[in-house]
Amino acid sequence: MYNPTVARLTYRALLGRRRAAILFVLPALLIVIAAAVRSFSGADDQVTADLLGGFALATMVPLIGVIAGTGAIGPEIDDGSIVYLLAKPVKRSTIIFTKLIVAIAVTMAFSAIPTLIAGLILNGNGQQIAVAYTVAALVASIAYAAVFLLLGTVTRHAVVFGLVYALVWESLFGNLVPGARTLSVQQWSLALAQRIGENGVISSDVGLPLAVILLVGVTAAATWYAGRKLRILKLAGEE
């Protein structure tokens, strides 16, 4: 299910000079903000939770997921180079699974690690807040990578749709509209953070059992459908 050659090509595409520079911007900004907040206000658990929840989890993680998920396959489909990959004796499910693993790894590296560093800077992991949000970022990275990889296979405007989802649905509706929160990856991952955090500093509108079911279901469904679309793309090319 995992092909090292496909993985190497995907890593090279995602971590090229231009895309890597974009990937570094948000994590660096988070750490700079965390250092500034700590220097001005000291260690404060609520401020830490607000910053990690409002910026790291609600904005940074989905945006990095957009870059990694769509970038893992979208450019190859856009420029037609995917045809050369499809011509190789590699199962389509293997291609999708390998690209998903790479997208997940990149999203985790550029979101979870900075989240942990920022949390430690802000309050030294008081109330387990840094670890809680790091776990939430890790879990959210999996779902986001799968969803945005799917977008990369179904539309040439995957980045646009991904940005709309990340900025409008997750960052705006996911925080302000009660009903929308149930259908938010952010809220699902917050359910795990809530279990890890202490003294009710972190809260989620979704219960942990339902959150786990939704995270697993969405990830599996998006991965399966992306593989199906790739098989259809191959058949269309042959016709």
Side-chain angles (χ1 to χ4, degrees):
M1 292 295 293
Y2 181 84
N3 186 287
T5 301
V6 174
R8 185 175 65 254
L9 294 173
T10 307
Y11 274 119
R12 184 180 301 172
L14 285 178
L15 300 178
R17 183 179 303 175
R18 182 177 176 182
R19 188 169 277 110
I22 298 175
L23 286 170
F24 273 108
V25 170
L26 286 174
L29 181 60
L30 172 64
I31 293 173
V32 169
I33 293 174
V37 169
R38 177 59 187 267
S39 65
F40 286 117
S41 64
D44 186 295
D45 295 340
Q46 191 58 56
V47 171
T48 302
D50 290 343
L51 180 58
L52 295 184
F55 182 78
L57 193 61
T59 302
M60 183 184 73
V61 180
L63 285 178
I64 291 176
V66 170
I67 297 171
T70 61
I73 196 169
E76 291 176 288
I77 294 178
D78 290 343
D79 63 19
S81 61
I82 190 69
V83 174
Y84 300 100
L85 183 58
L86 295 177
K88 303 297 181 182
V90 182
K91 292 182 178 180
R92 305 304 165 252
S93 58
T94 298
I95 294 174
I96 288 295
F97 185 76
T98 301
K99 287 182 174 295
L100 175 62
I101 293 299
V102 173
I104 289 172
V106 171
T107 306
M108 285 182 171
F110 283 91
S111 60
I113 295 174
T115 298
L116 177 61
I117 294 173
L120 293 175
I121 291 173
L122 285 164
N123 78 336
N125 196 37
Q127 308 294 336
Q128 295 292 313
I129 294 175
V131 170
Y133 276 104
T134 299
V135 171
L138 289 170
V139 172
S141 295
I142 299 173
Y144 283 132
V147 169
F148 296 132
L149 179 67
L150 171 61
L151 279 179
T153 65
V154 300
T155 175
R156 292 181 178 273
H157 306 291
V159 174
V160 175
F161 286 112
L163 289 174
V164 170
Y165 176 84
L167 296 176
V168 177
W169 186 265
E170 290 285 4
S171 297
L172 185 59
F173 286 97
N175 285 324
L176 300 178
V177 182
R181 295 174 186 172
T182 306
L183 301 177
S184 167
V185 174
Q186 174 192 347
Q187 291 296 323
W188 303 343
S189 58
L190 275 175
L192 280 82
Q194 181 180 7
R195 178 61 61 91
I196 298 171
E198 299 176 359
N199 297 330
V201 177
I202 304 171
S203 62
S204 171
D205 287 356
V206 182
L208 183 57
L210 178 60
V212 172
I213 293 172
L214 290 171
L215 283 166
V216 173
V218 166
T219 301
T223 304
W224 171 81
Y225 195 65
R228 182 175 180 274
K229 292 298 292 184
L230 197 61
R231 286 193 295 272
I232 294 174
L233 179 66
K234 174 182 181 298
L235 293 173
E238 291 175 347
E239 290 173 357

